[in-house]
């Protein structure tokens, strides 16, 4: 379990470092073109996320996201597969702490104060709707792969979906409560004002529920053999 929690901490930290760091670099290289900034930011995120899932999936399942961990627990609660309640709490804590650490690291790398609270307000119904759609889609992608036995495709599929959702959702697809909290610690392109965090997290939880309902509608009740193994890339669950 210690190795799994370390993997979740490191993976989420590096993911947020990629998101925030590439956002700062994009602002520096293309200060007058927001569209180009988003392209640079999303490209770095897609590549970084795919690599992180690929290398850390065998350790913890490469959730890097409390919503994914919550969905894993929910899917396996009756069969005893997936995460336990205790595991879920540990994963969520490691992910949130990792996200904060990743944001602090990115700030420091670009010679900014370690903690700079974001002033980027993202509180609006249309943005919350974007987060519902982004998160529901993410859960749908991951658990459709799980239920169809194609978790080896997760690094490419999950990264590709997040990259696309940067562009087709109004919120630019945070789709992750831990990452949302972490991005409040940087006043940069990728930041979100602390006051906007609760609305995004609620929208993400709603999206999680919708995503799970869609998976159930498509694949029916989960069978005992349909084991998630605790992650998007088939994690080894032996302590």
């Amino acid at each position: 379990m210690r190795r799994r929690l370390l993997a979740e901490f490191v993976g989420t930290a590096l993911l947020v470092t990629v998101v925030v760091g590439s956002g700062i670099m994009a602002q520096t290289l293309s200060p007058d073109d927001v569209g180009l900034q988003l392209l640079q930011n999303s490209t770095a995120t897609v590549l970084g996320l795919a690599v992180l899932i690929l290398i850390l999936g065998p350790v913890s399942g490469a959730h890097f996201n409390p919503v994914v961990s919550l969905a894993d627990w929910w899917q396996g609660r009756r069969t005893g597969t997936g995460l336990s309640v205790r595991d879920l709490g540990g994963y969520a804590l490691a992910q949130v702490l990792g996200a904060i650490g990743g944001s602090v690291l990115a700030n420091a790398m670009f010679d900014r104060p370690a903690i700079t609270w974001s002033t980027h307000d993202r509180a609006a119904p249309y943005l919350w709707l974007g987060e519902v759609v982004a998160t529901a889609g993410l859960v749908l992608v991951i658990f459709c792969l799980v239920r169809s036995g194609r978790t080896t495709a997760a690094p490419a599929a999950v990264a590709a979906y997040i990259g696309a959702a940067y562009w087709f959702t109004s919120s630019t697809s945070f789709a992750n409560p831990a990452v949302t909290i972490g991005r409040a610690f940087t006043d940069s392109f990728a930041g979100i004002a602390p006051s906007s965090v609760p609305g995004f997290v609620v929208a993400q939880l709603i999206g999680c529920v919708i995503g799970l309902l869609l998976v159930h509608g498509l694949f029916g009740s989960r069978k005992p053999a349909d084991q998630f193994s605790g992650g998007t890339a088939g994690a080894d669950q032996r302590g």
Side-chain angles (χ1 to χ4, degrees), residues 54-206:
L54 186 64
I55 64 175
L56 294 176
V59 181
S60 68
H63 294 192
F64 313 146
N65 187 337
V67 160
V68 175
S69 300
L70 178 63
D72 179 33
W73 165 76
W74 180 261
Q75 287 279 85
R77 73 193 187 286
R78 294 178 179 173
T79 60
T81 59
L83 297 179
S84 67
V85 173
R86 181 178 179 181
D87 292 343
L88 173 60
Y91 266 51
L93 179 60
Q95 291 156 358
V96 170
L97 293 178
I100 294 171
S103 196
V104 169
L105 176 60
N107 286 334
M109 283 198 301
F110 287 90
D111 197 28
R112 296 188 174 201
I115 297 176
T116 53
W117 298 111
S118 177
T119 57
H120 193 167
D121 181 63
R122 298 179 188 262
Y126 72 94
L127 295 176
W128 300 331
L129 177 60
E131 277 302 282
V132 170
V133 171
T135 310
L138 176 62
V139 171
L140 183 64
V141 168
I142 292 172
F143 287 92
C144 281
L145 290 174
V146 170
R147 296 292 291 275
S148 61
R150 295 178 295 161
T151 54
T152 54
V158 173
Y161 174 77
I162 290 297
Y166 257 83
W167 290 90
F168 77 75
T169 64
S170 57
S171 63
T172 65
S173 184
F174 285 48
N176 185 329
V179 169
T180 303
I181 293 170
R183 287 168 67 165
F185 286 73
T186 178
D187 192 19
S188 62
F189 178 78
I192 177 173
S195 60
S196 299
V197 169
F200 264 51
V201 171
V202 170
Q204 290 155 3
L205 292 174
I206 293 172

